[in-house]
Coordinates of all heavy atoms in Angstrom, one line a residue:
N1 N 96.2 113.9 93.0 CA 95.6 112.5 93.2 C 96.6 111.7 94.1 O 97.7 112.1 94.3 CB 95.4 111.8 91.8 CG 96.7 111.6 91.1 OD1 97.6 110.9 91.6 ND2 96.8 112.2 89.9
Q2 N 96.0 110.6 94.6 CA 96.7 109.9 95.7 C 98.0 109.2 95.2 O 99.0 109.1 95.9 CB 95.8 108.9 96.3 CG 94.7 109.7 97.1 CD 93.7 108.8 97.8 OE1 93.8 107.5 97.7 NE2 92.8 109.3 98.5
S3 N 98.0 108.8 93.9 CA 99.3 108.1 93.5 C 100.4 109.1 93.3 O 101.6 108.8 93.6 CB 99.0 107.3 92.2 OG 98.7 108.1 91.2
N4 N 100.1 110.3 92.7 CA 101.2 111.3 92.6 C 101.7 111.7 94.0 O 102.9 111.9 94.2 CB 100.6 112.6 91.9 CG 100.5 112.4 90.4 OD1 100.9 111.3 89.9 ND2 100.0 113.4 89.8
F5 N 100.8 111.9 94.9 CA 101.1 112.3 96.3 C 102.0 111.2 96.9 O 103.1 111.5 97.5 CB 99.8 112.4 97.1 CG 100.0 112.6 98.6 CD1 100.3 113.8 99.1 CD2 99.7 111.6 99.5 CE1 100.4 114.1 100.4 CE2 99.9 111.8 100.8 CZ 100.2 113.0 101.3
T6 N 101.7 109.9 96.8 CA 102.5 108.8 97.3 C 103.9 108.8 96.7 O 104.9 108.6 97.3 CB 101.8 107.5 97.1 OG1 100.6 107.5 97.9 CG2 102.6 106.3 97.5
Q7 N 103.9 109.1 95.3 CA 105.2 109.0 94.6 C 106.1 110.2 95.1 O 107.3 109.9 95.3 CB 104.9 109.2 93.1 CG 106.0 108.6 92.3 CD 105.6 108.7 90.8 OE1 104.4 108.9 90.4 NE2 106.6 108.6 90.0
K8 N 105.5 111.4 95.3 CA 106.3 112.5 95.8 C 106.9 112.2 97.2 O 108.0 112.7 97.5 CB 105.5 113.8 95.9 CG 105.6 114.6 94.6 CD 105.0 116.0 94.8 CE 106.0 117.1 95.0 NZ 105.5 118.4 94.8
L9 N 106.2 111.5 98.0 CA 106.6 111.3 99.4 C 107.3 109.9 99.5 O 107.6 109.5 100.7 CB 105.5 111.4 100.4 CG 104.8 112.9 100.4 CD1 103.8 112.9 101.5 CD2 105.9 113.9 100.6
N10 N 107.5 109.2 98.4 CA 108.1 107.9 98.5 C 109.4 107.8 99.3 O 109.7 106.9 100.1 CB 108.3 107.3 97.1 CG 108.6 105.8 97.2 OD1 107.9 105.1 97.9 ND2 109.7 105.4 96.6
P11 N 110.3 108.9 99.2 CA 111.6 108.8 100.0 C 111.3 108.8 101.5 O 112.1 108.2 102.2 CB 112.3 110.1 99.6 CG 111.7 110.5 98.3 CD 110.3 110.0 98.3
V12 N 110.2 109.3 102.0 CA 109.9 109.2 103.4 C 109.6 107.8 103.8 O 110.0 107.3 104.8 CB 108.6 110.1 103.7 CG1 108.2 109.9 105.2 CG2 108.9 111.6 103.4
Y13 N 108.9 107.1 102.9 CA 108.5 105.7 103.2 C 109.8 104.8 103.1 O 109.9 103.8 103.8 CB 107.4 105.2 102.2 CG 106.3 106.2 102.1 CD1 105.7 106.6 100.9 CD2 105.8 106.8 103.3 CE1 104.7 107.5 100.8 CE2 104.8 107.8 103.2 CZ 104.2 108.1 102.0 OH 103.2 109.1 101.9
E14 N 110.7 105.1 102.1 CA 111.9 104.4 102.0 C 112.7 104.6 103.3 O 113.3 103.6 103.8 CB 112.8 104.9 100.8 CG 112.3 104.4 99.5 CD 112.2 102.9 99.4 OE1 113.1 102.2 99.8 OE2 111.1 102.4 98.9
A15 N 112.7 105.8 103.9 CA 113.5 106.0 105.1 C 112.9 105.2 106.2 O 113.7 104.7 107.1 CB 113.4 107.5 105.5
I16 N 111.6 105.0 106.3 CA 111.0 104.1 107.3 C 111.4 102.7 107.1 O 111.8 102.0 108.1 CB 109.4 104.3 107.3 CG1 109.0 105.7 107.7 CG2 108.8 103.2 108.2 CD1 107.6 106.0 107.6
K17 N 111.5 102.2 105.9 CA 111.9 100.8 105.6 C 113.3 100.6 106.1 O 113.6 99.6 106.8 CB 111.8 100.5 104.1 CG 110.4 100.3 103.6 CD 110.4 100.0 102.1 CE 109.0 100.0 101.6 NZ 109.0 100.2 100.1
I18 N 114.2 101.6 105.8 CA 115.6 101.4 106.2 C 115.7 101.5 107.7 O 116.4 100.7 108.3 CB 116.5 102.6 105.6 CG1 116.4 102.5 104.1 CG2 117.9 102.5 106.1 CD1 116.9 103.8 103.4
T19 N 115.0 102.4 108.3 CA 115.0 102.5 109.8 C 114.5 101.2 110.5 O 115.2 100.7 111.4 CB 114.2 103.7 110.3 OG1 114.6 104.9 109.5 CG2 114.3 104.0 111.7
R20 N 113.4 100.7 110.0 CA 112.8 99.5 110.6 C 113.8 98.3 110.5 O 114.0 97.6 111.4 CB 111.5 99.1 109.9 CG 110.7 98.0 110.4 CD 110.2 98.2 111.8 NE 111.1 97.8 112.9 CZ 110.8 97.9 114.2 NH1 109.7 98.5 114.6 NH2 111.7 97.6 115.1
K21 N 114.5 98.3 109.3 CA 115.5 97.2 109.1 C 116.6 97.2 110.1 O 117.1 96.2 110.6 CB 116.0 97.2 107.7 CG 116.5 95.9 107.2 CD 116.8 95.9 105.7 CE 118.2 96.4 105.5 NZ 118.5 96.7 104.1
N22 N 117.0 98.5 110.4 CA 118.2 98.7 111.3 C 117.9 98.9 112.8 O 118.8 99.1 113.6 CB 119.0 99.9 110.8 CG 119.6 99.5 109.4 OD1 120.4 98.6 109.3 ND2 119.3 100.4 108.4
L23 N 116.6 98.9 113.1 CA 116.1 99.1 114.4 C 116.0 97.8 115.2 O 115.5 96.8 114.6 CB 114.8 99.9 114.4 CG 114.2 100.4 115.7 CD1 115.1 101.5 116.3 CD2 112.8 101.0 115.4
D24 N 116.4 97.8 116.4 CA 116.2 96.6 117.3 C 114.8 96.2 117.2 O 113.9 97.0 117.3 CB 116.6 97.1 118.7 CG 116.5 96.0 119.7 OD1 115.7 95.1 119.5 OD2 117.2 96.1 120.7
K25 N 114.6 94.9 117.0 CA 113.2 94.3 116.9 C 112.3 94.7 118.1 O 111.1 94.7 117.9 CB 113.3 92.8 116.7 CG 114.0 92.3 115.5 CD 113.1 92.3 114.3 CE 113.9 91.9 113.0 NZ 114.8 92.9 112.6
T26 N 112.9 94.9 119.3 CA 112.0 95.1 120.4 C 111.6 96.6 120.5 O 110.8 97.0 121.4 CB 112.8 94.8 121.7 OG1 113.9 95.7 121.8 CG2 113.3 93.4 121.8
K27 N 112.1 97.4 119.6 CA 111.8 98.9 119.7 C 110.7 99.2 118.7 O 110.6 98.7 117.6 CB 113.0 99.7 119.3 CG 114.3 99.4 120.1 CD 114.2 99.9 121.5 CE 115.6 99.6 122.2 NZ 115.5 100.0 123.6
S28 N 109.9 100.2 119.1 CA 108.7 100.6 118.3 C 109.2 101.7 117.3 O 110.2 102.4 117.6 CB 107.7 101.2 119.3 OG 106.5 101.4 118.6
L29 N 108.5 101.8 116.2 CA 108.9 102.9 115.2 C 107.6 103.8 115.0 O 106.6 103.3 114.5 CB 109.4 102.3 113.9 CG 109.7 103.3 112.8 CD1 110.7 104.4 113.3 CD2 110.3 102.6 111.6
I30 N 107.7 105.0 115.5 CA 106.6 105.9 115.4 C 106.6 106.8 114.2 O 107.7 107.4 113.9 CB 106.5 106.8 116.7 CG1 106.5 105.9 117.9 CG2 105.3 107.7 116.7 CD1 106.7 106.6 119.3
S31 N 105.5 106.9 113.5 CA 105.4 107.9 112.4 C 104.4 108.9 112.8 O 103.8 108.8 113.8 CB 104.9 107.1 111.1 OG 103.6 106.6 111.4
F32 N 104.3 110.0 112.0 CA 103.4 111.1 112.4 C 102.9 111.9 111.2 O 103.4 111.8 110.1 CB 104.1 112.0 113.4 CG 105.3 112.7 112.9 CD1 105.2 113.9 112.2 CD2 106.6 112.2 113.0 CE1 106.3 114.6 111.7 CE2 107.7 112.8 112.5 CZ 107.5 114.0 111.8
V33 N 101.8 112.6 111.5 CA 101.2 113.5 110.6 C 100.8 114.8 111.3 O 100.6 114.7 112.5 CB 100.0 113.0 109.8 CG1 100.4 111.8 108.9 CG2 98.9 112.6 110.8
G34 N 100.6 115.9 110.6 CA 99.9 117.0 111.2 C 98.4 116.9 111.1 O 98.0 116.2 110.2
A35 N 97.7 117.4 112.1 CA 96.2 117.3 112.0 C 95.8 118.3 110.9 O 96.5 119.3 110.6 CB 95.6 117.7 113.3
P36 N 94.6 118.1 110.3 CA 94.1 119.0 109.3 C 94.1 120.5 109.6 O 94.6 121.3 108.8 CB 92.6 118.5 109.1 CG 92.7 117.1 109.4 CD 93.7 117.0 110.5
W37 N 93.7 120.9 110.8 CA 93.7 122.3 111.2 C 95.1 122.9 111.2 O 95.4 123.9 110.6 CB 93.0 122.5 112.5 CG 93.4 123.8 113.2 CD1 94.3 124.0 114.2 CD2 93.0 125.1 112.8 NE1 94.5 125.3 114.5 CE2 93.6 126.1 113.7 CE3 92.1 125.7 111.9 CZ2 93.4 127.4 113.7 CZ3 91.8 127.0 111.9 CH2 92.5 127.9 112.7
T38 N 96.0 122.2 111.9 CA 97.4 122.7 112.0 C 98.0 122.8 110.6 O 98.7 123.8 110.3 CB 98.2 121.8 112.9 OG1 97.8 122.0 114.2 CG2 99.7 122.1 112.8
L39 N 97.8 121.9 109.7 CA 98.3 122.0 108.3 C 97.7 123.2 107.6 O 98.3 123.9 106.9 CB 98.1 120.7 107.5 CG 98.9 119.5 108.0 CD1 98.6 118.3 107.2 CD2 100.4 119.8 108.0
A40 N 96.4 123.4 107.8 CA 95.7 124.5 107.2 C 96.2 125.9 107.6 O 96.3 126.8 106.9 CB 94.2 124.4 107.5
V41 N 96.6 126.0 108.9 CA 97.2 127.2 109.4 C 98.5 127.6 108.6 O 98.6 128.7 108.2 CB 97.6 127.0 110.9 CG1 98.5 128.2 111.4 CG2 96.3 127.0 111.8
Y42 N 99.3 126.6 108.3 CA 100.5 126.8 107.5 C 100.1 127.0 106.0 O 100.6 127.9 105.4 CB 101.5 125.6 107.6 CG 102.1 125.5 108.9 CD1 101.9 124.5 109.8 CD2 103.1 126.5 109.3 CE1 102.5 124.4 111.0 CE2 103.7 126.4 110.6 CZ 103.4 125.4 111.4 OH 104.0 125.3 112.6
M43 N 99.2 126.2 105.5 CA 98.9 126.2 104.1 C 98.2 127.5 103.6 O 98.4 128.0 102.5 CB 98.1 125.0 103.7 CG 98.9 123.7 103.8 SD 97.8 122.2 103.6 CE 97.7 122.1 101.9
L44 N 97.4 128.0 104.5 CA 96.7 129.3 104.2 C 97.3 130.5 104.9 O 96.8 131.6 104.7 CB 95.2 129.1 104.7 CG 94.4 128.0 104.1 CD1 93.0 127.9 104.7 CD2 94.2 128.2 102.6

């Protein structure tokens, strides 16, 4: 379920918060995900 999933990955979101706080305001912060197919290749 989505709340367990979010909880497990919470340290990733914390890392983003810390990075944003320490990053120059003029710089962009890019996050990413794998596409469904590419994840399926690994998962299966």
Side-chain angles (χ1 to χ4, degrees):
N1 66 61
Q2 293 181 357
S3 64
N4 284 356
F5 173 77
T6 293
Q7 206 175 342
K8 262 191 110 165
L9 296 186
N10 195 48
V12 176
Y13 314 134
E14 283 305 313
I16 292 174
K17 282 179 192 162
I18 299 166
T19 307
R20 184 67 272 178
K21 205 171 85 191
N22 294 303
L23 189 62
D24 178 334
K25 297 279 177 287
T26 63
K27 309 285 185 183
S28 195
L29 179 54
I30 303 169
S31 60
F32 61 90
V33 295
W37 159 258
T38 288
L39 291 180
V41 167
Y42 289 112
M43 292 170 80
L44 299 173

